[in-house]
Amino acid sequence: MHDEALIRLAFFFGVLAAVAIWEVAAPRRRLTDSKARRWYTNLSLVAIDTAVVRLPLTVLPADMAVQAREHGWGLMNAVVLPPSAGILLAFIALDLIIYLQHVLFHFLPVLWRLHRMHHTDLDIDVTTGNRFHPVEILLSAGIKLGAVALLGAPVVAVVAFEVALNATSMFNHGNIRLPLAFDRWLRLVVVTPDMHRVHHSIIPRETNSNFGFNLPWWDRLAGTYRPQPEGGHGEMTIGLKEFRDPALLTLSRLLVQPFVRKST
């Protein structure tokens, strides 16, 4: 617990730097929008989102895991499990909950108004993995707190999941090229950039597919899996049809976007 913030910070900057270098060395797509403007916007949202969660919430998911253990809350504190099994099961259960949360944010109109900001990026790269509206981040934090308390998830599992969720989000949003044969194998165990990129297609039936962040299994089990975009990765259009004007995608406009009906 004492090192949680340091661990998360180290992984954040480490993965961000590694994927950013990879994007320069082996890009998957040609960028169409201003990278400097997008990076300023997306990384500014990281700072805002962190402040929004850390300032009002006195209890974070890892803190909740400690309290659940001390008070005997949750399913996993009601049964005896080997420590390794408890950590693994909690990690998988948390990932399933985040998958279901993601689906919910797409199909409930009031939640989609918050989440759609993530999909308005006209390109997709490592910083897109952190492009979320502060209200969505706050709601997500509340869902994770409830999930950790209900599960009685071990502290190690919660910290590992938080680190993995952020790391894989940056990885699978990366504009990086992987050998196709390797990608076919890798996406059996983790969501790959080619798999998740389909989710950022302008075509609604592709936008509403491939919801996973960490584990790819939920999409296959739920029938929301699409292996490739119809237009191919090089030619597919990224974003939403109603938000194409870069002037409407500045930081200030994005923050108020959930509260406006149209892009004009």
Side-chain angles (χ1 to χ4, degrees):
M1 278 298 301
H2 296 297
D3 298 326
E4 184 222 356
L6 184 60
I7 291 170
R8 294 186 63 179
L9 200 62
F11 271 93
F12 171 77
F13 283 110
V15 175
L16 177 66
V19 177
I21 293 170
W22 194 345
E23 289 179 336
V24 174
R28 184 67 164 99
R29 290 169 43 90
R30 180 178 59 85
L31 299 181
T32 61
D33 196 15
S34 168
K35 186 172 182 177
R37 181 187 60 79
R38 290 179 52 259
W39 274 52
Y40 167 76
T41 299
N42 293 347
L43 294 179
S44 294
L45 284 167
V46 175
I48 294 170
D49 291 346
T50 301
V52 163
V53 170
R54 295 274 173 176
L55 292 179
L57 294 183
T58 57
V59 177
L60 296 174
D63 303 310
M64 179 62 75
V66 172
Q67 292 193 25
R69 181 185 62 195
E70 291 176 349
H71 294 88
W73 297 338
L75 299 174
M76 292 187 177
N77 287 311
V79 297
V80 178
L81 291 171
S84 57
I87 292 170
L88 180 61
L89 288 174
F91 186 99
I92 293 173
L94 288 169
D95 196 71
L96 173 58
I97 290 167
I98 293 300
Y99 166 83
L100 295 173
Q101 172 193 308
H102 194 179
V103 173
L104 203 62
F105 269 77
H106 270 251
F107 289 102
L108 281 184
V110 66
L111 297 179
W112 170 245
R113 292 176 73 85
L114 294 170
H115 183 64
R116 72 184 178 188
M117 192 196 80
H118 176 67
H119 285 267
T120 58
D121 215 347
L122 299 178
D123 281 317
I124 180 172
D125 66 14
V126 62
T127 63
T128 310
N130 294 287
R131 181 191 178 99
F132 294 97
H133 196 277
V135 179
E136 178 179 358
I137 289 294
L138 196 58
L139 289 175
S140 181
I143 291 170
K144 280 188 281 189
L145 285 173
V148 170
L150 180 64
L151 291 170
V155 179
V156 173
V158 174
V159 174
F161 178 75
E162 292 275 72
V163 168
L165 185 64
N166 187 242
T168 55
S169 182
M170 288 191 285
F171 166 69
N172 60 44
H173 284 88
N175 181 31
I176 56 179
R177 183 178 298 277
L178 288 170
L180 294 180
F182 180 66
D183 178 87
R184 282 195 297 270
W185 172 84
L186 186 61
R187 67 171 61 190
L188 296 176
V189 293
V190 69
V191 176
T192 67
D194 273 13
M195 178 178 169
H196 189 73
R197 193 175 298 109
V198 179
H199 182 71
H200 283 263
S201 166
I202 198 172
I203 302 171
R205 61 180 171 274
E206 294 184 343
T207 308
N208 294 319
S209 69
N210 296 9
F211 293 98
F213 276 98
N214 279 319
L215 303 175
W217 313 326
W218 315 123
D219 283 300
R220 295 175 187 270
L221 291 171
T224 55
Y225 174 66
R226 285 185 179 269
Q228 301 295 336
E230 292 178 7
H233 287 281
E235 301 301 322
M236 67 183 287
T237 302
I238 300 294
L240 299 174
K241 64 180 181 179
E242 62 267 42
F243 294 97
R244 306 304 302 171
D245 184 355
L248 298 171
L249 301 178
T250 61
L251 179 62
S252 59
R253 291 291 190 96
L254 290 175
L255 290 174
V256 300
Q257 190 186 94
F259 314 108
V260 300
R261 288 189 175 275
K262 298 180 180 179
S263 58
T264 57

